[in-house]
Amino acid sequence: MVHGEAWTLKELFVYPNEYIYWTIQIVMYPFMTGLVAGAFVLSSLYHVFGIKQLKDIARFSLVFSFALLPVAMIPLQLHLQHPERGIEVMLTPHFTSAIAAFGIAFSTYGMIVASELWFVYRRHFVETALALREKRDKTIPERGRQLLFSALTLGAWDISEQALAKDERAVKIMATAGIPVACLLHGYAGFIFGSVKANALWTTPLMPFIFICSAVVSGIALCVLSYIVTMEVRKLMVAWRRKSDPSLPTPDEIRTVEMYEVTMTAKYLVLALLAALGLELLDLLFRDYAKFSSWEIVRSLIYGKDFVNVFVIQYGIGNLVPLALFLLPRLTVRRAVVATLLVLMGVFMMRWNLVIGGQAFSASFSGYMHYELPIIPHDIETFKEGLLGALLVGVLPFIFFWGLNKIFPVFKCEDTH
């Protein structure tokens, strides 16, 4: 069976070799890289621009960005017919191919985030290792933790004020350097789509900028949503532990901090959402004004077959409704949860409409193709390219974040900065 035949439905005149080749995993790929870049940009608002109101969520989003990073490549690996060749992008990076340049951007970005995390948490590594070293009758897990945190110090045990001040300057340098690299990491995904001249829906010089703005939107929205969920769990745990340790903060104190961080972050989310929405509408107006030769069939898709997906779900429910929810006075946690979920759905639908919609019309301009998302897999291909494969990609960052939180605690330590 030809790749794509299992989930492609054809309508009217479509060439025999035409199928929906790029499936939900190619939708997940720019969606996940966008979350990586957006989460890092949110953390940089505090580390670079000194917006102290975002201190708690900045540390949270930096660790979350690191947890998202390894997942960014998994959709491509799952989509490849020969996944063993995927590592060659990392081993032989060069600029003669747009996708091969990903190896350079990804590696550079990974090193910057790892370096920034190390400088932020170096004081925690040293203090934890010293505390474990002084403890007597250590258990085997505690001996393992001592070895781990001692190794993470990389031999830099000095936590004097002068050393911590140097760490602080290093964090600012890493965060400053990371912003353009994060934009490059995700902007290049838009560049790949925008440079495909053969596809009328993808080719536009605005595509990289649209991707960057929507990346910031989705990254901030996911961080806010995850932050709220984490704080709600933390409130329940504190309420239970306060019976034995009254020194812990009260649930009301945690709720106050939570609402303050969410309200402040929501302001930047609204600004990014307005910028992304403005660019997307500008691109739509440009296409309508320019009227390229293939515009008629693209128009029949946007204003006809995909009208509900584009204007109702993406722009209406995914952009305008959350915008109204954020702008209404007295923002609540429940309203913020609903709004961020809708924002994430809107960004995902933007990717869906772009990737799937761009393949939905035939090169004959006289036929259409429809993607039937495999729900229940009947072989490895329909698993990887179906709903379960996408859910696997979506769940992995939270598992990584849980594991990283054991090393980089987002709430329980004083960082260097």
Side-chain angles (χ1 to χ4, degrees):
M1 180 180 288
V2 177
H3 181 70
E5 188 177 350
W7 47 76
T8 303
L9 297 178
K10 298 184 178 182
E11 178 184 355
L12 301 177
F13 184 77
V14 177
Y15 292 126
N17 62 341
E18 286 186 314
Y19 296 100
I20 301 288
Y21 295 110
W22 288 5
T23 60
I24 193 169
Q25 291 298 351
I26 303 302
V27 177
M28 292 297 292
Y29 165 61
F31 185 67
M32 299 307 294
T33 55
L35 295 176
V36 174
F40 183 83
V41 170
L42 176 59
S43 73
S44 298
L45 290 177
Y46 166 68
H47 291 123
V48 177
F49 303 107
I51 302 175
K52 297 181 179 178
Q53 297 89 339
L54 301 177
K55 180 179 180 179
D56 278 354
I57 202 168
R59 186 169 50 197
F60 182 93
S61 58
L62 181 62
V63 177
F64 204 76
S65 175
F66 198 56
L68 286 162
L69 192 59
V71 185
M73 291 187 65
I74 293 180
L76 290 181
Q77 288 293 111
L78 291 176
H79 178 71
L80 287 175
Q81 296 293 290
H82 289 279
E84 74 279 3
R85 298 178 184 173
I87 193 64
E88 293 180 14
V89 171
M90 304 300 297
L91 297 178
T92 59
H94 55 84
F95 288 107
T96 56
S97 163
I99 194 68
F102 172 78
I104 299 172
F106 185 86
S107 303
T108 306
Y109 178 76
M111 288 187 287
I112 288 175
V113 177
S115 302
E116 184 177 345
L117 265 178
W118 185 80
F119 283 114
V120 169
Y121 282 93
R122 192 181 69 84
R123 175 180 175 182
H124 169 67
F125 296 155
V126 173
E127 291 178 343
T128 305
L130 291 176
L132 288 168
R133 181 187 295 177
E134 294 173 359
K135 187 177 182 182
R136 296 182 177 179
D137 301 328
K138 291 188 280 290
T139 61
I140 294 178
E142 286 173 337
R143 291 178 186 276
R145 290 186 73 230
Q146 182 187 345
L147 288 175
L148 173 64
F149 283 99
S150 298
L152 287 173
T153 62
L154 301 179
W157 294 90
D158 186 3
I159 52 173
S160 62
E161 287 189 9
Q162 294 81 3
L164 294 179
K166 290 180 181 177
D167 286 355
E168 187 173 339
R169 287 196 292 272
V171 167
K172 191 168 185 177
I173 292 171
M174 290 294 111
T176 305
I179 293 176
V181 179
C183 292
L184 175 65
L185 178 71
H186 190 63
Y188 110 98
F191 167 78
I192 291 177
F193 284 102
S195 60
V196 180
K197 297 177 183 176
N199 193 300
L201 188 62
W202 294 345
T203 179
T204 170
L206 290 176
M207 195 62 73
F209 305 102
I210 293 173
F211 266 58
I212 290 171
C213 284
S214 58
V216 175
V217 170
S218 61
I220 295 177
L222 182 63
C223 285
V224 171
L225 181 62
S226 304
Y227 182 79
I228 290 173
V229 172
T230 307
M231 293 295 274
E232 292 300 316
V233 173
R234 193 179 172 204
K235 276 189 285 187
L236 293 175
M237 294 177 66
V238 164
W240 180 63
R241 290 179 178 174
R242 268 182 61 83
K243 296 174 184 176
S244 56
D245 187 1
S247 64
L248 291 172
T250 65
D252 288 337
E253 290 172 340
I254 297 176
R255 186 178 296 110
T256 303
V257 174
E258 176 188 11
M259 274 314 304
Y260 182 73
E261 294 287 332
V262 170
T263 304
M264 290 301 300
T265 311
K267 294 178 181 178
Y268 296 95
L269 177 56
V270 167
L271 290 176
L273 190 57
L274 287 172
L277 186 59
L279 276 175
E280 289 178 34
L281 293 178
L282 178 63
D283 178 60
L284 204 58
L285 289 173
F286 172 76
R287 293 173 185 276
D288 198 13
Y289 179 79
K291 288 186 172 55
F292 297 117
S293 58
S294 54
W295 170 243
E296 285 305 319
I297 192 165
V298 173
R299 183 175 182 174
S300 70
L301 272 175
I302 296 175
Y303 295 101
K305 292 181 177 297
D306 288 346
F307 181 85
V308 173
N309 282 351
V310 175
F311 290 100
V312 177
I313 301 179
Q314 179 185 333
Y315 290 129
I317 302 175
N319 286 268
L320 297 179
V321 172
L323 198 58
L325 290 174
F326 278 124
L327 291 177
L328 287 172
R330 294 186 292 278
L331 181 66
T332 62
V333 169
R334 289 182 181 178
R335 188 152 30 106
V337 168
V338 173
T340 49
L341 283 172
L342 292 178
V343 166
L344 288 170
M345 184 200 66
V347 175
F348 180 82
M349 284 306 298
M350 178 262 179
R351 273 43 166 174
W352 178 280
N353 293 330
L354 182 78
V355 176
I356 305 299
Q359 304 170 87
F361 55 90
S362 168
S364 67
F365 295 156
S366 301
Y368 301 94
M369 289 175 285
H370 306 281
Y371 172 52
E372 290 290 320
L373 176 67
I375 306 295
I376 301 175
H378 51 78
D379 56 23
I380 188 65
E381 284 299 308
T382 49
F383 171 78
K384 292 193 307 176
E385 308 280 6
L387 180 64
L388 294 184
L391 289 176
L392 175 66
V393 173
V395 167
L396 283 177
F398 298 98
I399 298 174
F400 291 160
F401 179 71
W402 177 81
L404 285 174
N405 192 45
K406 305 293 183 186
I407 302 173
F408 307 103
V410 294
F411 294 118
K412 295 180 181 176
C413 79
E414 286 296 326
D415 57 35
T416 299
H417 200 65

